[in-house]
Amino acid sequence: MTDASNPLLETWTPPYGLPPFDRITDAHYAPGLEAALTEARAEIAAIANAQEAPTFDNTIRPLETGARKLGQVLRVFFHVAATDSTAEREALQKDFSGKLSAYNSEVITNAALFRRIAAVWAARADLGAEEARVTDLYYKDFTRSGAALEGAAKDRMTDIKARLALLGTEFTQNLLADERDWVMPLANGDLEGLPDFVIATAKSAAEERGMDGHVVTLSRSLIVPFLQFSPRRDLREQAYEAWVARGEHDGPTDNRGIAAEILALRDERAKLLGYGSFADYKLEPEMAKTPAAVRDLLMSVWAPAKASAEADAAVLTGMMQEDGVNGPLEAWDWRYYSEKRRQAEHDLDESELKPYLQLDKMIDAAFDCAARLFGLSFAPIDAPLAHPDARAWEIRRGDRLMAVFVGDYFARAGKRSGAWCGSLRSQHKLDGDTRAIVTNVCNFAKPAAGQPALLSFDDARTLFHEFGHALHHILSDVSYPMISGTSVARDFVELPSQLYEHWLEVPDVLQRYAVHAETGAPMPDDLLGRMLAASTYDMGFQTVEYVASALVDLAFHEGAAPADPMARQAEILSDIGMPHAIRMRHATPHFAHVFSGDGYSSGYYSYMWSEVMDADAFAAFEEAGSAFDADMASKLETHILSAGGSEEADALYQAFRGRMPGVEALLKGRGLDKAA
């Protein structure tokens, strides 16, 4: 295959520049990667070996403009591999991880290139603000990646990175295999007590797998409502234990040994760079800066959350005993009795809510909020996409194209679990006004043909969360890819997403878009009020399972790597007094945030760090008198959403709000401010 015949290497057609997914096949990826790597290596050599004195324009700028073909290939491949995995694509992932690690090590260890970057960095005071920021980030990235190491230390760092890349890929693929392969068939009698929407989802899941009847899978959009509504305690236990045991089975998909090796290699990597621990290394460029600051935040929330959860556990245990079930409340009981309690105390039934929370209407609601806040308009476009379930829209402000947005919302076998935002192209201004191509990927239950997709309120919140990330890309307005969109500190990146969730709870948004799937009638005021009143219901449970995961992540990386992560996990949970009936949100063998790559390692706390800010940021709109206050929306766009990583995160937040927040708004927002 020649380069000219490989659609991955083409310049994709304006105005949208979307990848030609209809012409891309698996056969294109390997030769596309080889060609793109060859081109990228030549570009790096040209920069490193230039005879002219190093300047921003002949060193940093070409680093920003270079490797475009490589970026095209990788963004398409990893998007497809995550949303529609196959055995062939998983094999390519493993092969690519080694090749990319080798390439990245070549770049980082290129002494001539690093000398040029260091020379530009030393003279950065003479540069413009964005140029100085980009130069500083390049210099820090290189030094933190080991560019200044020599000899055996340099070689060992290269080996560590290569091994970590492979281990992260294996961890992800093992987890995906467990999620894809496990099903629990349900006999007709097992459907008793399940709402119609759960039965329909279980039937659709069986059909997708070519099976008759109904099945439970490990998709969150199916297993969570099954745990909420099934009166069959034995089936709840079977499903729950399978869910939390992903990656923890003896055999080829066992992630426990992989996690141990990853932790050991990270610790060694940090020590090679002169840090006391991997957490010290990882947190240095974040807002938190130190493990102690992270622990202080998490523990300030842990005590009231645990108190709230333990009070709730006592109530749920009493309900269970009234049903004639003796013994302690277990993890597979919590959601079932909590749902019954919610129905009793808030007169709120999930099956009553879901017909008012249609996927298409919630997409419209997210778009409308963006239109009212930022003057954006949305129009569907017809284009080949990576999967038939995906949809695309152009986003404009007046006549200006702001971005292309792609949404892929339904769960399916071979799709990575969870929800995330990505980009097929970043915004920048290096050769004109290049706008982002943004993706949101979710795993909502797919309806039967001809039926509307219905969401839980948590699903709707997830949709708004991921679109908040998308807005960070859509409104980005910087010159360089290095600081574009979500290229910010890890504990700042969740601010826009978590902040946008607040608009879902604005009453006039729900009154307009929460309409019944059959009648079109708006959600009754009484039901709307009950739903919003219950928005902090069971928050002790949700906070405990999250904070426990964040504390385990932090402890794993604070000191010497544990030889047995599962034993260390148990020790940490015992030390903090983890309630018996609550498990970590992500146990070690399926903690993809931490072990699929370095992204959230020592950083799972960042959702809560950002929540401190998002609670305070939305309070600014409330203080202004409207969730759609134009001046506040303009400040939010100017100082946060359009600014990317052009300044340090705390400077951006203070420019928006005038100060840094405390934890009080977070506790109030979670309903934990009065917990004992």
Side-chain angles (χ1 to χ4, degrees):
M1 180 185 303
T2 65
D3 292 356
S5 65
N6 192 329
L8 284 168
L9 302 174
E10 296 173 357
T11 299
W12 297 329
T13 308
Y16 303 128
L18 279 160
F21 285 109
D22 56 336
R23 295 191 290 116
I24 296 171
T25 69
D26 287 347
H28 292 122
Y29 292 121
L33 179 69
E34 292 298 334
L37 282 172
T38 297
E39 181 177 292
R41 285 186 168 104
E43 292 170 343
I44 291 296
I47 300 168
N49 299 328
Q51 297 304 303
E52 301 84 8
T55 65
F56 182 89
D57 286 337
N58 66 24
T59 302
I60 306 299
R61 183 183 292 273
L63 286 173
E64 285 289 86
T65 59
R68 289 197 175 173
K69 298 300 183 187
L70 182 59
Q72 286 191 179
V73 172
L74 295 179
R75 288 177 189 233
V76 170
F77 173 72
F78 285 114
H79 174 73
V80 171
T83 58
D84 193 14
S85 182
T86 64
E88 183 174 359
R89 289 168 187 166
E90 289 179 5
L92 285 170
Q93 267 188 290
K94 288 187 176 181
D95 181 53
F96 285 12
S97 69
K99 291 178 178 178
L100 292 170
S101 178
Y103 166 73
N104 289 329
S105 290
E106 288 172 24
V107 174
I108 290 297
T109 59
N110 187 316
L113 178 62
F114 181 56
R115 283 195 297 270
R116 294 184 68 85
I117 292 171
V120 179
W121 179 80
R124 66 193 182 283
D126 298 330
L127 299 174
E130 276 199 26
E131 288 74 16
R133 174 69 171 164
V134 170
T135 300
D136 189 52
L137 290 172
Y138 265 105
Y139 180 77
K140 289 176 178 176
D141 278 357
F142 270 69
T143 54
R144 286 172 52 79
S145 296
L149 296 177
E150 297 179 351
K154 177 180 178 180
D155 294 340
R156 180 58 184 155
M157 180 65 78
T158 297
D159 292 342
I160 288 172
K161 289 181 183 178
R163 183 63 179 159
L164 283 171
L166 179 60
L167 290 171
T169 299
E170 289 181 351
F171 188 97
T172 302
Q173 292 182 355
N174 289 346
L175 180 56
L176 180 59
D178 279 1
E179 291 171 344
R180 180 181 58 225
D181 295 344
W182 188 89
V183 295
M184 184 176 74
L186 298 175
N188 286 338
D190 300 336
L191 304 177
E192 180 184 350
L194 297 178
D196 289 344
F197 77 87
V198 179
I199 294 173
T201 302
K203 181 176 177 58
S204 179
E207 290 172 349
E208 183 190 3
R209 287 160 175 77
M211 301 172 67
D212 295 329
H214 303 78
V215 301
V216 175
T217 70
L218 298 182
S219 169
R220 177 176 283 271
S221 60
L222 176 51
I223 197 168
V224 167
F226 180 80
L227 293 170
Q228 285 177 300
F229 292 104
S230 175
R232 287 283 301 277
R233 193 178 191 227
D234 58 332
L235 295 181
R236 294 201 311 268
E237 179 180 2
Q238 184 179 343
Y240 182 84
E241 291 291 12
W243 191 33
V244 298
R246 291 167 291 158
E248 196 176 346
H249 303 287
D250 292 335
T253 63
D254 192 343
N255 275 335
R256 288 171 289 186
I258 291 175
E261 187 177 355
I262 287 173
L263 292 172
L265 290 172
R266 284 176 179 165
D267 185 48
E268 185 180 358
R269 178 182 177 184
K271 299 291 175 48
L272 282 172
L273 294 170
Y275 292 89
S277 71
F278 185 80
D280 291 325
Y281 160 77
K282 192 67 189 299
L283 293 171
E284 183 183 55
E286 309 301 339
M287 293 183 75
K289 301 301 182 188
T290 67
V294 173
R295 186 170 293 281
D296 285 348
L297 169 68
L298 294 175
M299 293 309 296
S300 70
V301 178
W302 176 255
K306 182 184 174 186
S308 177
E310 288 177 335
D312 290 339
V315 175
L316 301 183
T317 299
M319 294 172 64
M320 186 178 74
Q321 291 173 349
E322 288 175 5
D323 279 352
V325 181
N326 296 318
L329 183 76
E330 300 291 352
W332 50 88
D333 298 318
W334 191 291
R335 287 176 173 84
Y336 178 70
Y337 285 100
S338 181
E339 178 63 25
K340 292 180 72 170
R341 181 186 179 193
R342 183 173 74 153
Q343 292 181 28
E345 294 186 0
H346 294 277
D347 191 20
L348 199 62
D349 187 336
E350 185 84 7
S351 59
E352 181 185 12
L353 284 175
K354 284 184 82 89
Y356 290 98
L357 299 172
Q358 301 172 67
L359 171 61
D360 286 348
K361 291 295 185 181
M362 292 299 101
I363 294 171
D364 289 345
F367 287 176
D368 183 54
C369 289
R372 295 168 70 182
L373 288 164
F374 308 115
L376 302 176
S377 64
F378 300 79
I381 58 176
D382 185 17
L385 300 171
H387 192 275
D389 285 346
R391 293 181 268 173
W393 293 263
E394 66 166 22
I395 304 175
R396 293 186 177 272
R397 180 182 275 158
D399 294 331
R400 184 189 183 194
L401 178 67
M402 296 296 291
V404 173
F405 175 70
V406 178
D408 181 359
Y409 295 108
F410 295 127
R412 54 181 173 266
K415 188 179 189 182
R416 198 179 86 203
S417 62
W420 66 93
C421 177
S423 67
L424 294 168
R425 185 178 65 207
S426 297
Q427 177 274 328
H428 63 83
K429 300 177 184 176
L430 291 176
D431 45 15
D433 188 19
T434 299
R435 304 307 303 174
I437 301 173
V438 195
T439 62
N440 273 182
V441 181
C442 299
N443 274 279
F444 304 141
K446 189 173 183 178
Q451 298 299 309
L454 303 179
L455 306 181
S456 68
F457 194 60
D458 282 345
D459 288 339
R461 186 179 288 114
T462 294
L463 187 149
F464 267 69
H465 177 101
E466 298 306 333
F467 194 71
H469 279 309
L471 285 170
H472 214 167
H473 289 283
I474 292 162
L475 295 172
S476 181
D477 190 29
V478 297
S479 296
Y480 300 97
M482 171 66 88
I483 54 173
S484 176
T486 57
S487 298
V488 298
R490 178 64 63 182
D491 49 12
F492 190 65
V493 76
E494 297 298 335
L495 169 61
S497 54
Q498 293 178 181
L499 174 59
Y500 205 63
E501 293 178 31
H502 290 272
W503 275 272
L504 174 61
E505 297 188 1
V506 173
D508 78 318
V509 173
L510 288 167
Q511 288 161 357
R512 187 181 306 186
Y513 291 101
V515 297
H516 199 278
E518 294 180 5
T519 67
M523 183 181 290
D525 290 343
D526 174 62
L527 178 58
L528 175 61
R530 285 183 279 131
M531 183 179 74
L532 294 177
S535 62
T536 60
Y537 176 72
D538 214 19
M539 194 55 72
F541 168 87
Q542 294 179 41
T543 306
V544 162
E545 65 165 5
Y546 165 78
V547 174
S549 295
L551 285 167
V552 167
D553 167 43
L554 181 66
F556 273 170
H557 296 97
E558 268 188 300
D564 184 346
M566 299 304 293
R568 179 66 178 130
Q569 172 184 294
E571 180 183 1
I572 297 162
L573 296 179
S574 176
D575 288 346
I576 61 175
M578 186 73 172
H580 173 77
I582 305 178
R583 308 269 184 97
M584 291 169 62
R585 183 172 298 178
H586 304 291
T588 297
H590 59 260
F591 206 163
H593 282 79
V594 171
F595 293 106
S596 288
D598 274 357
Y600 281 89
S601 56
S602 296
Y604 193 62
Y605 77 92
S606 61
Y607 290 94
M608 186 150 284
W609 191 277
S610 292
E611 190 177 342
V612 171
M613 290 180 285
D614 86 62
D616 180 65
F618 192 72
F621 282 86
E622 295 175 321
E623 292 162 11
S626 169
F628 296 97
D629 181 81
D631 289 341
M632 288 308 305
S634 178
K635 289 179 68 176
L636 179 63
E637 178 177 354
T638 298
H639 298 298
I640 294 176
L641 295 175
S642 71
S646 58
E647 294 184 60
E648 293 288 345
D650 53 355
L652 293 174
Y653 190 82
Q654 289 185 69
F656 164 68
R657 192 67 165 110
R659 54 169 173 74
M660 293 301 292
V663 74
E664 295 78 18
L666 178 148
L667 293 173
K668 181 179 179 181
R670 285 183 170 242
L672 301 174
D673 51 325
K674 297 179 178 61

